[in-house]
Amino acid sequence: MDGRVTRGTLQKIRDGVITEGPVYLKVSQLQPLGKKHKGLYSDGSDSMEAVFASALTSLIESGQLTNDCVVKLVSFTCNLVNESHKLISTECEVDAAPDSSTAQQAPIKEEPESQPAGSPCKENMPSNTKVEKQATDSPMGNKRLKVEGTGSSTPHAAKRDPDAMKTPAHPRVASLTSSSRTPQPSPSEQPTPVPAGPPMDSPGLSIGSARKAVQPIAALNPYNMSWTIKARLVKKGPKRSFTKGGTQSTSVFSIELVDEQGTQIEASVWRDLADRYYDLLEEGKVYYVAKGKVKPANKAYSSVRNDYQLHLDSGSEIEECPDQDTSKMQAKLSIVPIDQLSLFIGKKAGMDLMGVVTSVGQLGSVKRKSDNSELSRRDITLLDQSQKTVTMTLWGETAQDKGALLEAQDCPVITVTACRVSDYNGVSVSAGQRSDIQINPDTPEAKALRQWYDFEGRTAATQHAGEGLANARGSSGGGGSQERVTFKQLTKSPADMPSPDAKPEYHNATCTVANIDPQQSMYYQACPDNNRKVVEQNGQWYCEYDGKTYPSMVRRYVTTLRCTDHTAELTLNAFNEQVEGLLGMSADDLAMLKEGSPEKQQQYQALLKKVQWQDFVVRIQTRTRSAQPSTSQAIC
C-alpha cells in the first residue's frame, strides 16, 4: 500500500478529529450507483463505505480512478446512515495508480491440491448461489461461499471443474476474489462474520449488543437520528414540574454539555428520564448521551452558543463514562473586552467576560415582587487591559458562595459565562442563574491578564465603562429616550412625521458602518472663529456670516455614513467631533491624504475601508424637514 496511506485515518474521520483534506486512502470494489459510484476506502487497518459524487463520474469512467489505486481526498463528508458510516467524496485526485501486477493480473487458478476437497466452485454452483464477503480488518479479507436452494446440502454437490477455473470471472465476482494465492478455508472453518460498523475497540457506547461510534457535538443536526456523543456535564439546572390541562405532572431540567472539541450544547431532560436521572447526574463527570432529538435552539432562553439543542425523553439513553480525562473538555469562551460591553446592551444572548476583581461589595438582599421573598445580591468590580471597569451583580447562591470566595482572595482573575449587559449607570453586568464563574482559571488569557495587572494594571488610571455613555445621555437635548431603538423604529411614514416646527427627537442605537463614499466632499472650509463656511478671495478667506475676511481657515467634517442594523439601513449625517472619533484624525489631516499624491490617496481609501463593518453606539437626532411640496425626515 502507498506510503502516504496512514493507519487509523478512517477512525479519526469517524470521531471527527479529521474533518477536511487532504487524506490518502486506497479504493476498491468500485461499482455504479445511479449517476454516482460507490466503493470501499481502506487505510491499511480499517475500511469504510465510499460514495463518489456525480462530479467524479468522469474520473472513474475514463479509467483514471480504478480499483486498488490511492486517492488524495481533498473534500469529503462523513455521514452516519443506518448506524454505518459513509464517506461521501466530493473532490479527489488520483495520487498513485495500481501496480501493473495488480491491474493486469489474470484470474487466479487454484491448484487442486491447494483447495480442500468439497470447496465449491463458482461455475458449478446452482443459479441461486450467493457470494458473501466476510468482514475483516482488511478490505480484501477472506471470502466464503454460501450455498442455498434446491441443490444438495453436502459440499460435494458443487463439483470442481479445473477447466472452468481457467475462465475469467465476471467483473463483479472478480472484485471479491482474493489477490493472494493462499488456499481458502472451507465454510465450516470460517469464523463467524463480524457485524458491519466501526471497530469494536473504537470509543463508543454499548447499547444493546452493538457499539455506537462517538461523534462530535458540532456534527449534530436534526436529520441524523442515530448518534452518540461523549461530553462532560458542566452545569445542571434545577428540576421543575408543571401540570398542563389537568394532566399528570411533568418534570424537566436542563443540562449543559461540552465535548473534547470545546463545543457546548444544551439539553432538556424530560418526564421519566428527568425523574430517574436528576439525582444521578453530577457536574464535572463525563457521560455518553444517545437517542435524543436535535432541535433548533431557542436563543431567547438559551445561554449556550449553539444553533441546536437536545431533547431527551424516555427513549433516550445516558450512561456514565468513568475515569475520563476532562482536561480537553473545556468550553470555548468568546471573551468580550470591558470597553466593548456597551455594544451588548439589551441583547438577549449572553456574553463571556474576564476580569480582575478589584473590589467585592457587602452581601445584601432585595425582595422579589412575585412572592415577597428575599434574594441575595452582591456587587463586584472588574477590570481588564482596556483599563475600563464595570460593576457586576451576583445573585442568589452565587452571591453567597462565590462572593465569599472572592472576598477572601486578593484580586483574583475570574471568567463569567452567559452574562447579561444593561444600561444601568451607563453599562453594568449581571451574572444570571445560567452563568458559570471560574476563579483563577488555568488559561493563557487569564495568565496574561494576571501578569498585566501585577506589573501595570494595579496602579493604572482606570475609568468606568459606562461613564462616557452615561454623560452623553445626561446632557442630550430634547428629552430623548434612554432605551435602545432599532433603525426600523426610527423610520416613519410621512403621515406619522411630526410637524417641522416640533423639537428634534433623540435616540440611542447600535449600528454597523456599512459604507463611507470616498467620492463625497467629506469636509468644508470653515471660519476658525465661528465654524461658518468661508470662500477663498485673493488668498484670503471671506465669511458671509459676519462679513469678515480671515487670513486662514480650518476644515471641518460633514460626512454622510451608510449604516445598518438587523432591521434596516439608514443614511446618517455625521459632524466634526463624531467623524474625528470615527477616523482618528482631523479634517485637515484627512485632506492631505485625499488631495495628495496617488500613494496618499490610497492611504485615504484604506482608512475609510478600515472603518467599514465596525459596530458603534450612536446618539441619533431625528427631525422633520420641510421641502415643498413634500416633507422628509432628517436623521443625524
Side-chain angles (χ1 to χ4, degrees):
M1 183 168 288
D2 188 272
R4 298 197 187 191
V5 179
T6 306
R7 294 176 180 268
T9 299
L10 290 175
Q11 185 59 46
K12 291 181 179 179
I13 292 176
R14 286 193 190 95
D15 295 340
V17 178
I18 298 178
T19 57
E20 58 184 12
V23 295
Y24 296 87
L25 298 169
K26 188 173 183 179
V27 181
S28 62
Q29 300 187 22
L30 278 173
Q31 55 182 292
L33 181 66
K35 295 183 178 180
K36 307 175 183 178
H37 286 74
K38 68 176 182 178
L40 199 69
Y41 275 136
S42 171
D43 62 4
S45 63
D46 197 2
S47 61
M48 184 185 300
E49 184 174 347
V51 177
F52 298 89
S54 55
L56 303 176
T57 302
S58 58
L59 194 66
I60 298 173
E61 293 180 348
S62 64
Q64 300 178 56
L65 200 163
T66 61
N67 286 326
D68 298 321
C69 71
V70 175
V71 297
K72 173 185 176 183
L73 202 53
V74 180
S75 178
F76 59 87
T77 303
C78 183
N79 287 343
L80 189 64
V81 181
N82 295 329
E83 303 184 2
S84 177
H85 284 88
K86 296 181 185 294
L87 195 57
I88 302 174
S89 310
T90 54
E91 183 181 354
C92 68
E93 304 171 2
V94 177
D95 183 71
D99 296 336
S100 58
S101 59
T102 305
Q104 301 175 2
Q105 183 178 359
I108 299 173
K109 176 180 178 181
E110 300 287 352
E111 298 297 334
E113 60 273 19
S114 65
Q115 181 167 347
S119 294
C121 178
K122 167 190 165 307
E123 284 74 6
N124 291 336
M125 289 181 185
S127 60
N128 56 351
T129 300
K130 295 183 178 179
V131 181
E132 292 187 353
K133 179 173 72 73
Q134 178 179 340
T136 63
D137 289 339
S138 171
M140 300 300 294
N142 295 329
K143 317 298 181 295
R144 70 172 182 175
L145 299 177
K146 182 179 179 181
V147 182
E148 294 181 357
T150 57
S152 171
S153 59
T154 63
H156 298 283
K159 295 182 179 179
R160 297 192 44 165
D161 186 354
D163 295 333
M165 294 289 292
K166 301 178 182 179
T167 306
H170 189 276
R172 297 189 64 177
V173 178
S175 65
L176 299 177
T177 304
S178 174
S179 60
S180 172
R181 294 183 178 271
T182 304
Q184 301 296 317
S186 64
S188 60
E189 298 174 353
Q190 291 281 4
T192 304
V194 180
M200 295 299 290
D201 57 352
S202 64
L205 168 62
S206 178
I207 301 177
S209 59
R211 287 171 64 88
K212 299 279 187 177
V214 173
Q215 65 184 86
I217 292 177
L220 295 178
N221 62 79
Y223 308 103
N224 182 10
M225 302 300 294
S226 179
W227 52 264
T228 299
I229 60 173
K230 183 175 73 172
R232 182 173 69 93
L233 196 156
V234 295
K235 194 170 187 63
K236 181 177 71 171
K239 186 171 70 170
R240 309 185 306 274
S241 299
F242 60 91
T243 303
K244 197 171 184 180
T247 58
Q248 187 178 359
S249 177
T250 300
S251 301
V252 62
F253 68 93
S254 297
I255 57 177
E256 294 178 12
L257 304 169
V258 60
D259 64 3
E260 291 184 346
Q261 283 72 38
T263 308
Q264 284 183 282
I265 194 168
E266 185 177 14
S268 298
V269 187
W270 289 84
R271 302 179 181 84
D272 296 341
L273 199 69
D275 296 331
R276 187 165 69 250
Y277 280 101
Y278 184 75
D279 295 330
L280 299 178
L281 297 179
E282 299 180 20
E283 294 182 359
K285 289 190 175 181
V286 179
Y287 297 91
Y288 290 116
V289 182
K291 296 185 179 180
K293 296 180 181 178
V294 182
K295 296 183 176 182
N298 188 342
K299 299 298 182 67
Y301 301 99
S302 176
S303 60
V304 176
R305 283 183 294 273
N306 197 314
D307 292 334
Y308 299 112
Q309 62 185 25
L310 303 181
H311 178 95
L312 307 178
D313 52 21
S314 57
S316 305
E317 297 186 4
I318 303 176
E319 180 181 331
E320 183 179 352
C321 183
D323 302 328
Q324 290 293 312
D325 180 15
T326 60
S327 59
K328 294 183 179 180
M329 295 184 177
Q330 304 294 331
K332 295 179 181 178
L333 301 184
S334 180
I335 302 297
V336 176
I338 293 178
D339 61 347
Q340 297 181 17
L341 288 177
S342 59
L343 301 175
F344 293 82
I345 293 178
K347 292 188 177 182
K348 294 182 179 180
M351 40 73 63
D352 302 330
L353 185 64
M354 181 174 66
V356 179
V357 181
T358 58
S359 66
V360 180
Q362 296 294 322
L363 182 66
S365 63
V366 295
K367 283 190 176 182
R368 287 192 177 101
K369 293 182 179 180
S370 57
D371 55 4
N372 224 19
S373 62
E374 297 284 338
L375 179 64
S376 301
R377 69 181 300 275
R378 188 194 298 261
D379 289 339
I380 62 175
T381 302
L382 301 179
L383 169 70
D384 68 0
Q385 290 98 324
S386 65
Q387 299 185 15
K388 298 284 187 178
T389 63
V390 68
T391 299
M392 172 178 285
T393 303
L394 310 180
W395 299 93
E397 294 181 359
T398 303
Q400 299 175 10
D401 302 336
K402 294 289 186 180
L405 293 175
L406 296 175
E407 197 173 19
Q409 300 189 37
D410 178 28
C411 300
V413 175
I414 65 171
T415 58
V416 189
T417 62
C419 300
R420 296 296 175 92
V421 186
S422 69
D423 58 358
Y424 182 73
N425 286 337
V427 176
S428 63
V429 183
S430 178
Q433 185 180 31
R434 296 175 178 268
S435 299
D436 180 49
I437 300 179
Q438 297 291 329
I439 302 177
N440 292 324
D442 188 16
T443 62
E445 295 80 7
K447 292 178 181 178
L449 178 58
R450 164 56 60 192
Q451 186 177 10
W452 171 84
Y453 182 76
D454 291 340
F455 290 95
E456 181 182 351
R458 194 181 292 269
T459 58
T462 62
Q463 184 182 22
H464 192 273
E467 184 174 332
L469 184 59
N471 291 340
R473 291 176 177 177
S475 62
S476 296
S481 170
Q482 305 303 315
E483 296 182 358
R484 297 288 175 90
V485 298
T486 63
F487 279 6
K488 188 175 182 180
Q489 292 173 321
L490 288 176
T491 307
K492 297 180 179 179
S493 63
D496 296 331
M497 290 182 186
S499 169
D501 298 332
K503 292 183 178 180
E505 297 178 357
Y506 294 85
H507 307 274
N508 294 326
T510 301
C511 67
T512 302
V513 177
N515 183 48
I516 303 177
D517 184 7
Q519 302 300 325
Q520 62 179 305
S521 58
M522 295 291 295
Y523 44 78
Y524 69 98
Q525 297 162 339
C527 171
D529 291 344
N530 54 34
N531 296 332
R532 299 284 182 167
K533 183 178 179 179
V534 296
V535 293
E536 185 179 9
Q537 290 183 354
N538 300 322
Q540 302 288 315
W541 300 94
Y542 174 73
C543 176
E544 296 180 353
Y545 176 74
D546 57 11
K548 295 182 180 180
T549 301
Y550 295 88
S552 63
M553 59 84 185
V554 293
R555 294 177 178 85
R556 293 180 60 84
Y557 285 111
V558 176
T559 306
T560 299
L561 312 176
R562 195 65 180 168
C563 299
T564 182
D565 68 357
H566 65 287
T567 62
E569 185 175 292
L570 292 176
T571 299
L572 304 182
N573 296 323
F575 298 98
N576 194 65
E577 289 76 11
Q578 290 75 30
V579 182
E580 280 187 353
L582 187 69
L583 299 180
M585 66 171 55
S586 66
D588 287 329
D589 293 337
L590 186 75
M592 296 178 63
L593 300 180
K594 186 173 185 291
E595 301 171 8
S597 62
E599 291 79 9
K600 295 288 185 181
Q601 292 178 10
Q602 290 181 1
Q603 296 178 19
Y604 165 72
Q605 297 275 355
L607 178 64
L608 298 188
K609 290 183 179 180
K610 183 179 179 181
V611 181
Q612 292 181 5
W613 306 116
Q614 292 193 26
D615 296 335
F616 296 93
V617 179
V618 295
R619 184 73 171 171
I620 298 177
Q621 177 201 84
T622 61
R623 69 178 186 273
T624 303
R625 180 173 55 193
S626 178
Q628 297 297 333
S630 62
T631 59
S632 61
Q633 185 181 21
I635 302 177
C636 304

